[in-house]
Structures are given as C-alpha cells and as structure tokens.
Amino acid sequence: MANKNIEQRRARTEWFRKARFGMFIHWGLYAIPSRGEWVRSVEKMSREDYQQFFDEFKAEEYNPKEWASLAKKAGMKYAILTAKHHDGFCLWDTKLTDYKSTKTQAGRDLVREFLDAFRAEGIRVGLYFSLLDWHHEDFPHYEDRHHPMCDDKNYSNEKRDFSRYINFMHGQIRELVTNYGKLDIMWFDFSYGKMAGDAWKAQELIDMVRSFQPDIIIDNRLEGSGEQSGTILTDNPSDFAGDFACPEQMVPPEGIVSESGDNVPWETCLTLNCNWGYNAADQHWKPADMVIHMLVECVSKNGNLLLNVGPDPKGRIPQASVKILEEVGCWLEKNSQSIYSCGLSDFPKPEWGRFTQNGKKLYAHIFQPQSGAICLMNMDGKLNKARLLSDGSEVRIPKKEWNLSEYKEHEFLYLKPGHGNNYPLPDRIDTVVEISLK
Ligand code: GLC
C-alpha cells in the first residue's frame, strides 16, 4: 500500500495538477535598490544600511486588482505572493514585529489586499514565506551561509537564541494561516545544510498549519531547495516533505517521478527576465513564444509553470511583463483545452514539438513548421479525427497519399491542401491540433 503521505498529496493536489499555470510575485523593500531580492546579502548591507528602504517604502501605486486582472487575462489559475522574503520584511500586519508594511508610509496590509483581489477573480491564492530571516536578531548571522553579515566577526551568534527565532517564525505562520481565510498554497523557502526539516521544527509546524488549513498544499522546501528535493522523491516521504517539488529556472528533462516511478506533482518556477525581485536594468525578457513553449513543455511532462513578476517600488508590474503575459493569454484563450487538466501523453515526444493529453484527446503542439506532412510516429489506426483546436476546422489525415504509402506504421497530418506543405503554420508560435484517439 502506498505511503499515506503520497495518497494524501495526490488528493490534495488534484486541482493544482489541473491548474498548470500560476503567477509568482516577488515584491518587497528590495524593489527600491532594484538589484534583486538578494541585494542585502550580495552587497553585505547591514540592517542600518538597508533601513533607508523601509523608511522610503510607500507602495503608492499598489493596486492588486490590476495584478489580478492581468493574471486572469494571462490564463493563470493561481498566484503566490512573497508575504516575507529573506530580508524579513513582512507584507502583512504581523503582531510579532514592527518590520512590516503597516509601519511604513504605505500603511497597508498588502497581503490581505492581494488575497481579496485575487480571490475576487476566482484565482487560487498562496503565500511565499522565507524560512530565513536576515532581519531577526536570533537568526544566525556570522558564518551562516547566506546572511549579509556572515563574514563579519562582530556579528557573532553568542547571544542569539535560535529557539526564540523558531517560535517567532511559527507564530508568524500561525497568523497567516488563521487570520487570512482559506489559503491554497504555502510556499516555504528554503532549507540548506543543517537548516532543514527538524531545525525548523517542521513536524510541529506542519501539524499546526494543517490543523487550520487541512487542504493547503505546501512545497518541498521545508526539507529542500532549488538544489535538492528532500524525501518527496522517495517512496516514504516525511510528513513535511511537501505536496509538490519545485525545480527552479529549469524544466526537468523527464518530468519528476519517485524512486518507484510514481508521478510526483511538480512546478517549475521561472523568472520573466533574470531576476525575481524588480530590477530596472534587467531587460532580458523572455519572449511570449518562449514562455508558451515552456508552459507546454511543463504540461507535456506532467508539471506546472509558476511564472514570476517583480513589481516596481511603487507597486506596478513592469510594462514589458504585462505585454508578454497578455500575449500568452491571447494564445491560451484559443488553446486552453490543451493545457488545463492535461498532462503527459501516451506517445513519445515528436520531432516538431510536444504532445499533451487529456484522456482520449491528444494535443499536437506544432512548434516547427514542416515543409511536408507532419508525422505522427507509430500511430497507425489509432486516430479518429483531427481538428485545429483554435477554430475547430478539419486537419486532414492523408493516410492514402501516394508519397506516404510506404510508411504504414505512421499517421500524418496536413494543415494545408496539397502534398504536405505545412508552411507557414496557422499559429506561428504553437499550432495545436486536437486529435481524437480511438
Ligand atoms: C530561491 C531564492 C529566491 C527566490 C526563490 C524562488 O531559492 O532564494 O530569492 O525567491 O528561490 O524560487
């Protein structure tokens, strides 16, 4: 019999495995220096150096309804906001520290407004919560692997009490899971070295979280990180191994399965440029067609795509991101049936693109135009009919054409009249053919 944690995660993640596409939002004080959310650590800034950003933070253009309507337009089914990143700044009205948005000039509970706005659009909601906290005095400073003061002997850990930190951290999470209604996802970040699992008192934490939010799904970073997955990939995952794996900035070559070959729910998180947090100078945007191809690739391997936006200091999502997301949304509007509720296909990856599948519906995602017929390898006799997904028009299955007669084990598609000539494709980015299987 399967381990109970595996059975439970299968049930809990049912909606998640259908949703396939989500929005990640990295926003906090680090938007102001505009050099990414690690700026304090990378530049070894002290608490005092970093204080100017707290003093300045106004969030005057923050309108989460606009974010939510963009996410909706883009076809995203869930969204995850950084309630607290490694710098320790809290976007909600926590009672456990003054290092929070309500004590800045913004004076608002940004988490609550985010949750309200996204729920109103029918989008599922999640919160990112950093297990690291570079602001808290009891979090290890000197010789920690990442702390901004890790090289400075003046920041020795002698008077620091890690158990006090753990109480504080658990208390903050308790606030989030008790005061903000139903949360769909809790996205913890991250474990490293000895700072993993038991060090976070993860069993106690997860019991507490689940006692208030039995259906919440959590990522695997109470044990893992972008570097390693923890016990979620084993046949005996711990109680806090998480419900899904979260590879970062890469799509796993063959999806993610456990030791015994069972599908493990997973989600690739991906930046739209090269930074999670806002960076005005970073204009390395991934074009919409690349994002669409990556989304299709994730789905074709049974995974999700969590695509990031990094709002600016005022709270606006950069125009370049808006434009890309709108383009993705346009494509999805016509082709959504090939993404939501779809997953790995029974057929191997074709040369010209990808397959996704939902029961008897096979979706051929044609990325590369072919000068001749589009080959469906070893699918002889398996097809009923083929239609262009976007408009329902017939796609011919020209089995009996003279030039295909020697390839009896395969089937072929013609999008154009004549002998193949499938150039150009109706949709330059990804032409989706819906194939009904016998
Ligand atoms: C990380 C980073 C971080 C980012 C996250 C997103 O491990 O520490 O800055 O928020 O991954 O996946």
Side-chain angles (χ1 to χ4, degrees), residues 24 26 37-38 82 85-86 128 187 189-190 221 225-226 246 248 269 276:
F24 216 174
H26 277 71
E37 73 290 347
W38 275 71
T82 48
H85 208 275
H86 309 331
Y128 168 110
W187 217 100
D189 195 30
F190 60 85
R221 293 192 178 183
S225 65
C246 41
E248 190 169 323
C269 53
W276 299 103

Side-chain angles (χ1 to χ4, degrees), residues 67-226:
W67 295 4
S69 102
L70 175 64
K72 175 108 180 187
K73 245 197 249 169
M76 291 156 152
K77 299 289 187 193
Y78 60 102
I80 297 168
L81 171 70
T82 48
K84 169 167 110 166
H85 208 275
H86 309 331
D87 65 1
F89 177 68
C90 302
L91 270 58
W92 79 100
D93 191 15
T94 171
K95 300 290 173 279
L96 302 175
T97 172
D98 281 343
Y99 203 54
K100 57 180 176 180
S101 58
T102 43
K103 288 278 180 188
T104 65
Q105 294 183 64
R108 296 157 72 179
D109 186 323
L110 306 170
V111 166
R112 189 173 302 282
E113 292 184 39
F114 157 80
L115 295 172
D116 290 346
F118 279 74
R119 285 180 186 135
E121 288 284 9
I123 297 173
R124 297 225 188 209
V125 288
L127 297 175
Y128 168 110
F129 184 94
S130 172
L131 301 167
L132 294 65
D133 188 326
W134 299 332
H135 185 80
H136 199 280
E137 290 295 356
D138 288 312
F139 195 85
H141 288 40
Y142 183 57
E143 287 185 325
D144 174 68
R145 207 190 286 173
H146 306 292
H147 197 283
M149 301 295 111
C150 63
D151 298 330
D152 191 335
K153 284 204 179 88
N154 296 318
Y155 289 85
S156 96
N157 297 319
E158 242 165 76
K159 300 222 170 67
R160 305 187 199 285
D161 178 351
F162 192 62
S163 67
R164 210 156 47 194
Y165 172 69
I166 292 298
N167 287 341
F168 163 80
M169 192 255 269
H170 284 213
Q172 286 205 313
I173 294 165
R174 177 184 276 265
E175 289 180 338
L176 292 171
V177 296
T178 54
N179 297 339
Y180 290 86
K182 183 174 189 291
L183 301 176
D184 298 294
I185 301 180
M186 200 71 198
W187 217 100
F188 293 116
D189 195 30
F190 60 85
S191 295
Y192 56 104
K194 288 190 184 127
M195 304 286 256
D198 292 340
W200 308 123
K201 293 222 170 124
Q203 184 70 51
E204 228 173 86
L205 182 65
I206 205 72
D207 290 345
M208 183 269 287
V209 167
R210 292 221 190 279
S211 75
F212 296 113
Q213 304 262 359
D215 299 327
I216 202 167
I217 63 178
I218 64 155
D219 69 341
N220 64 335
R221 293 192 178 183
L222 278 172
E223 286 181 342
S225 65

Side-chain angles (χ1 to χ4, degrees), residues 28 38 42 81 96 126 128 180 276 305 308 329 340 366 399 410:
W38 275 71
V42 173
L81 171 70
L96 302 175
Y128 168 110
Y180 290 86
W276 299 103
L305 180 66
N308 183 70
Y340 310 127
I366 309 165
K399 188 74 189 177
H410 307 315

